[in-house]
Amino acid sequence: MSEKPIILEELEKVSETALSILAGIQEEEVLQTWKKEYLGKSSTVMSAFSSIGQQPKEFRPLVGQMANQVKQTLEAALEERAKIVLEASLARKVAQEKIDVTLPGREPLKGGLHPQTLVLRRIYSIFAEMGFQVYRSRDVESDQYNFELLNIPAHHPARDMWDTFHIDQPGVVLRTHTSPGQIHVMREQAPNPIRVILPGMCYRYEQISARSEIQFNQVEVLAVGKNITFGDMKGTLNGFVRRLFNADVRTRLRPSYFPFTEPSAEMDVECFVCGGKGCSVCKGSGWLEIMGCGIVHPTVLRNGGYDPEVYSGFAAGMGPERISMLLHKIEDIRYFWGNDYRFLEQF
Ligand code: DAH
């Protein structure tokens, strides 16, 4: 009789080891590794089957039987363990992914209105209280409306006040100010009285810096009718400035020049940072320049369809970015269109 083949002992040992390892497995992936190791092609069990031919004849049935038995035991144990592992992992998931409804929710990111929208709305509502309507006018203008009809003829040195973007199409410009809107309203309304403000983007070929942008808002003010005086202008603009800044801010009018108004003035408000004593915001002068204004030039009235012998009017133009900068002590105009959330979320 031949000796008992070692494989029988090996099978017994491997079965014991495999079962004890299996009992400790908690995860699906580890089960797969275990399966490969103990039931895969190169496992002891599988090599026992393929070794049968080389075993002494009388032991062949025994090796086959034993290999089968171990294989079945391991397979059954694997199936059992897989069930347990699956259940445990489900239970874990349920426990981990449960929502605690008693916790405060996470606040969604909320958008807000742009600081320029906010200041424009304030301006609209103050003028609305005084009976002014908002009139929208186009951004793309003709040279005629942007300059000519506003009493700024071609080659007149006054054109230097507005650096225009070069456009291929002759006679077409991006408006450099909201003043051309004056002509549009007048031509639409003549000879009716007018009280409007004209807000909107303006475009200038400028060196971009902390103080100037190539694109910015303006709000134009226009009143046309009979017997409109410089006093009406002063009263209206004072009323506006006091509502915007504060009720007892002082203002002053300084003589100035604009081709479309005569006389022309610049309105300053007393520096509300230092109260007129002089500081870095007002550059020591105690005053802040807020807008240009004046009595509508007879030529402009005529171009708008109003007889300057019968009608008169006043106009003004302001930069809401500049007003925002003063109100909120913003040091750089580029913040407005820089799209930096850290700047925008403060408003
Ligand atoms: N259009 C002028 C500018 O862009 C501002 C201005 C000044 C408008 C006086 C007016 C005005 O209506 O009367 O510099």
Side-chain angles (χ1 to χ4, degrees), residues 11 15 45 49 62-76:
L11 277 171
S15 165
V45 183
F49 283 118
L62 189 57
V63 172
Q65 238 173 34
M66 180 104 172
N68 251 329
Q69 197 192 327
V70 170
K71 183 168 173 263
Q72 277 162 17
T73 309
L74 293 186
E75 277 171 353

Side-chain angles (χ1 to χ4, degrees), residues 162 176-177 179 182 204 218 220-221 258 260-261 292-294 315-317:
W162 300 274
T176 57
H177 51 176
S179 305
Q182 291 189 26
R204 288 187 199 173
Q218 274 195 347
E220 190 87 8
V221 185
F258 296 102
F260 31 84
T261 44
C293 55

Side-chain angles (χ1 to χ4, degrees), residues 126-255:
I126 294 171
F127 275 102
E129 283 176 18
M130 298 191 283
F132 285 74
Q133 285 182 293
V134 173
Y135 185 98
R136 300 254 167 215
S137 177
R138 59 185 67 156
D139 288 25
V140 179
E141 268 299 353
S142 60
D143 182 276
Q144 258 233 317
Y145 274 81
N146 196 77
F147 295 117
E148 211 82 25
L149 295 168
L150 290 168
N151 198 30
I152 318 166
H155 315 302
H156 191 284
R159 285 211 177 186
D160 289 351
M161 289 165 79
W162 300 274
D163 286 317
T164 316
F165 276 108
H166 174 78
I167 305 280
D168 283 343
Q169 221 167 318
V172 175
V173 296
L174 288 174
R175 66 173 172 193
T176 57
H177 51 176
T178 44
S179 305
Q182 291 189 26
I183 305 290
H184 288 292
V185 196
M186 285 194 272
R187 289 192 167 179
E188 199 181 289
Q189 293 297 323
N192 298 321
I194 294 171
R195 276 186 197 178
V196 292
I197 55 171
L198 299 124
M201 272 292 169
C202 302
Y203 309 87
R204 288 187 199 173
Y205 181 67
E206 299 258 10
Q207 180 74 49
I208 296 174
S209 72
R211 296 179 57 89
S212 31
E213 261 283 11
I214 57 170
Q215 142 173 14
F216 51 91
N217 280 292
Q218 274 195 347
V219 177
E220 190 87 8
V221 185
L222 178 68
V224 177
K226 287 180 180 162
N227 303 314
I228 290 187
T229 67
F230 199 85
D232 294 323
M233 178 189 89
K234 190 176 164 185
T236 308
L237 298 182
N238 271 339
F240 164 69
V241 164
R242 286 178 187 154
R243 283 171 170 92
L244 185 66
F245 295 106
N246 73 64
D248 33 46
V249 74
R250 293 201 304 160
T251 59
R252 73 175 181 188
L253 287 166
R254 259 184 306 119

Side-chain angles (χ1 to χ4, degrees), residues 17 28 37 43 52 54 67 76 79 89 105 146 178 191 199 204 216 247 257 262-263 271 283 311 326:
T17 325
E28 171 65 20
E37 168 99 27
S43 63
I52 292 176
Q54 284 107 60
E79 205 177 307
S89 97
N146 196 77
T178 44
R204 288 187 199 173
F216 51 91
Y257 169 74
E262 179 59 34
C271 180
K283 303 208 175 59
Y311 297 93
L326 294 173

Side-chain angles (χ1 to χ4, degrees), residues 254-273:
R254 259 184 306 119
S256 184
Y257 169 74
F258 296 102
F260 31 84
T261 44
E262 179 59 34
S264 304
E266 210 77 62
M267 182 171 254
D268 296 343
V269 296
E270 195 173 42
C271 180
F272 47 80
V273 176

